[in-house]
Amino acid sequence: MADPQGFLKYDREEPAHRPVPLRLMDYREVYEAAPEGQLEQQATRCMDCGVPFCHEGCPLGNIIPEWNDLVRQDRWEEAFDRLHATNNFPEFTGRLCPAPCEGACVLGINDDAVTIKNIELAIAERSFEEGWVKPIKPSLDTGMTVAVVGSGPAGMAAAQQLTRAGHRVTVFERDDRIGGLMRYGVPEYKMEKKWINRRIEQMEAEGTEFRTGVSPTATDLNSFDAVVLATGTPVPRDLEVDGRELEGIYPAMEYLTWQNRVNEGDYDEPAISAKDKKVVIIGGGDTGTDCFGTALRQGAASVTQFDIRPRAPKNRAASTPWPMYPLLYRTATAHEEGEYVITGDESAEEIEALGLARRGEGDTLGVRVYNANTVSFHGANGKVESLRGNEVKVVDGRRVPMEDTDFELDADLVLIALGFQGSERGGVTHELGVSFDERGRMVRDEQYRAETKPLFPGFKPQVYVAGDNGRGQSLIVWAIAEGRACAAAVDADLMGETALPVAVTPRTSPLGL
């Protein structure tokens, strides 16, 4: 049982961040290690709440109160066992998940929620440091073979579960490294890629085979007993306005991929760089924010992020009452960097690295603009030089321009971060005759079986769909949950029954995710 007085004794505390001028000089993760005893203290804030809504807030169904209480008692290895029972990759979610569990925390009704995400990450990292994470090899060989196409969190989770069930699993990845958007979309400063490599080593030791640089054909997949498509939703949503054809306007993911490849050592410099440029990011979500932090590290002359939505309230909005994921104003680490005010006390090294010589004392490094709508791009000699826009407001459910709010902004690098509009329809999905719905998602039934009409007769394996390509663009924690649930469905079909845990993953969450 939790300490019923813990939340009265302690306030919420989060790990400190490295100083902005220092962290903008590299791509290392921004968080510092928590002081000794802080995490145990924070875990003590987990209430004896009776009905822990954090379970419902977490798509994985993590048994959060149990591992919180084990951390409180300094029983870390037991906490590791409880956490890994529901989450294959807590080191990923502990860094990248927006923590819907905290939005549903009972303590959050009238106080600051428990730091669930930070405790989760601490358990994961300590489990590796102490050597508790070991390959879990299957106790039998079913003789069944499964192909997993795509190596993002959904594909990795499905592959690990199916390998542990005794099937021979091969993961196909068209890129040269495993990890999907975790590898080439998420900036290094949010998650260093060595953590993906570390988990791959465990999976290979368990028996999962990875093949990179391969886009399998239907013929390649026909030799397997089952196929899982976990290819995500990589098709970016474009902005179709006048001037879109100008050079210097790119999808956000293309920009982020180049810098991640530089960090991997593939190139000395990115083909798309913000250095010395006036950068405008169109889109106020996580991907746009990732571009924001990356552009600052590349030495942009200025960075402006457009969000077409109004600024969210400081406290939970009435439209998202507890236990829904709250709509409120958040400051990401990248925005914290943008809000950094130049003091004039920076070292010569910091000034050179950050390009502070282009700015004056009292200036900030970047800015977010709300209610901002882009109308058109303009340039000369085929290159973008500026954009025109206006402010908008919502009237009868539609965004309409506000009078006398037209503006023009210099821009020689524009990054479009408006999300994704579905799965790719060519290649193997075309060969398999996969059906798509109006939102670009692959059609599947409740057991994750895809609706297919293979283009050639005799295609034998059942095809399944897991992750964003079936659910739609979503969170990393949903991708892992989908991979686990799909693996259970595959195992049940192949063997007639399954001992794998079955996660409930409806199309939409009751908590608004």
Side-chain angles (χ1 to χ4, degrees):
M1 178 181 292
D3 180 353
Q5 303 293 317
F7 71 97
L8 298 174
K9 298 175 186 176
Y10 308 112
D11 294 328
R12 178 183 172 106
E13 292 185 28
E14 300 193 38
H17 299 172
R18 296 166 57 210
V20 170
L22 294 180
R23 71 187 195 227
L24 286 183
M25 295 168 65
D26 58 44
Y27 286 85
R28 289 171 44 218
E29 292 178 8
V30 304
Y31 296 100
E32 295 183 339
E36 184 175 353
Q38 184 187 77
L39 292 161
E40 291 88 345
Q41 186 183 93
Q42 289 299 295
T44 303
R45 297 184 71 241
C46 186
M47 305 166 64
D48 180 22
C49 58
V51 180
F53 276 76
C54 54
H55 291 196
E56 185 68 22
C58 176
L60 283 163
N62 284 335
I63 315 299
I64 296 163
E66 291 191 16
W67 44 259
N68 271 340
D69 195 44
L70 290 166
V71 168
R72 176 182 73 87
Q73 300 176 65
D74 199 27
R75 295 161 62 184
W76 286 82
E77 187 169 4
E78 293 173 76
F80 151 72
D81 289 335
R82 170 49 58 205
L83 174 58
H84 276 77
T86 55
N87 188 352
N88 296 66
F89 314 122
E91 70 275 22
F92 300 162
T93 54
R95 289 177 167 89
L96 303 179
C97 181
C101 52
E102 294 186 18
C105 175
V106 173
L107 182 56
I109 294 175
N110 63 350
D111 200 349
D112 293 328
V114 176
T115 56
I116 298 170
K117 177 178 173 179
N118 296 335
I119 297 167
E120 175 183 22
L121 177 58
I123 296 171
E125 287 306 315
R126 184 156 181 174
S127 67
F128 278 100
E129 292 168 5
E130 299 288 347
W132 300 329
V133 179
K134 296 181 174 64
I136 302 176
K137 297 184 178 181
S139 58
L140 76 161
D141 182 353
T142 67
M144 298 289 185
T145 58
V146 182
V148 177
V149 184
S151 68
M156 288 181 66
Q160 186 166 62
Q161 293 294 94
L162 288 165
T163 297
R164 291 174 174 179
H167 306 304
R168 301 171 187 175
V169 180
T170 302
V171 178
F172 294 93
E173 171 55 58
R174 67 181 179 182
D175 283 328
D176 56 347
R177 296 182 178 89
I178 297 298
L181 288 187
M182 291 190 301
R183 173 75 67 177
Y184 288 129
V186 174
E188 191 88 356
Y189 69 83
K190 287 180 66 176
M191 187 177 78
E192 295 178 26
K193 303 309 178 268
K194 61 185 179 182
W195 311 131
I196 303 175
N197 299 338
R198 180 178 64 182
R199 185 60 79 169
I200 291 170
E201 291 177 4
Q202 181 206 27
M203 293 179 64
E204 288 179 328
E206 291 174 345
T208 301
E209 179 184 355
F210 293 98
R211 296 184 188 177
T212 57
V214 177
S215 294
T217 65
T219 302
D220 297 328
L221 300 177
N222 198 30
S223 61
F224 291 86
D225 295 301
V227 174
V228 176
L229 299 180
T231 53
T233 53
V235 181
R237 181 173 288 108
D238 209 344
L239 182 62
E240 297 180 358
V241 298
D242 290 345
R244 172 62 183 87
E245 74 284 353
L246 292 170
E247 183 182 342
I249 305 172
Y250 303 96
M253 202 54 62
E254 183 178 349
Y255 167 72
L256 292 171
T257 297
W258 276 108
Q259 183 58 55
N260 278 323
R261 286 194 173 278
V262 170
N263 293 339
E264 291 277 9
D266 295 343
Y267 305 98
D268 294 331
E269 297 290 338
I272 306 171
S273 175
K275 184 173 178 58
D276 299 328
K277 293 181 180 177
K278 299 172 183 177
V279 180
V280 176
I281 302 161
I282 301 175
D286 287 345
T287 303
T289 301
D290 292 346
C291 293
F292 194 104
T294 301
L296 291 177
R297 283 163 175 76
Q298 290 180 344
S302 65
V303 183
T304 304
Q305 183 178 10
F306 283 5
D307 193 334
I308 201 168
R309 303 165 297 184
R311 176 169 168 160
K314 183 176 181 180
N315 298 314
R316 183 190 290 264
S319 61
T320 54
W322 179 88
M324 294 177 68
Y325 188 65
L327 173 65
L328 49 79
Y329 179 75
R330 294 177 172 86
T331 300
T333 59
H335 297 141
E336 180 183 277
E337 293 155 6
E339 294 169 0
Y340 174 80
V341 179
I342 298 170
T343 64
D345 296 327
E346 291 81 10
S347 68
E349 183 182 21
E350 291 168 350
I351 290 173
E352 180 180 1
L354 304 181
L356 299 184
R358 294 187 298 275
R359 306 177 180 91
E361 185 174 339
D363 286 348
T364 56
L365 304 182
V367 64
R368 285 186 280 179
V369 181
Y370 297 93
N371 299 313
N373 176 54
T374 304
V375 175
S376 58
F377 299 111
H378 302 270
N381 301 318
K383 296 183 179 181
V384 67
E385 293 183 340
S386 67
L387 61 81
R388 291 176 185 166
N390 53 36
E391 293 184 33
V392 294
K393 61 181 178 180
V394 178
V395 178
D396 296 330
R398 298 179 59 190
R399 290 188 175 92
V400 298
M402 299 171 61
E403 292 184 6
D404 301 322
T405 61
D406 294 349
F407 63 85
E408 185 168 350
L409 184 66
D410 290 343
D412 43 26
L413 176 61
V414 177
L415 304 172
I416 300 175
L418 298 177
F420 303 89
Q421 58 183 4
S423 304
E424 292 181 348
R425 303 197 180 204
V428 70
T429 58
H430 173 70
E431 293 182 81
L432 295 177
V434 176
S435 298
F436 292 82
D437 66 14
E438 69 282 355
R439 290 179 53 189
R441 301 175 299 190
M442 296 182 186
V443 178
R444 61 185 183 179
D445 65 16
E446 293 182 357
Q447 297 303 313
Y448 299 85
R449 302 185 192 98
E451 184 178 289
T452 61
K453 294 181 180 179
L455 298 185
F456 65 89
F459 187 80
K460 296 177 297 183
Q462 174 64 55
V463 179
Y464 301 80
V465 173
D468 286 3
N469 54 353
R471 177 181 176 79
Q473 181 186 350
S474 192
L475 310 178
I476 182 174
V477 68
W478 271 112
I480 297 172
E482 288 243 345
R484 288 169 61 88
C486 182
V490 173
D491 188 45
D493 282 352
L494 292 177
M495 306 302 295
E497 61 181 1
T498 183
L500 293 175
V502 180
V504 178
T505 57
R507 183 74 79 182
T508 57
S509 164
L511 300 189
L513 299 173

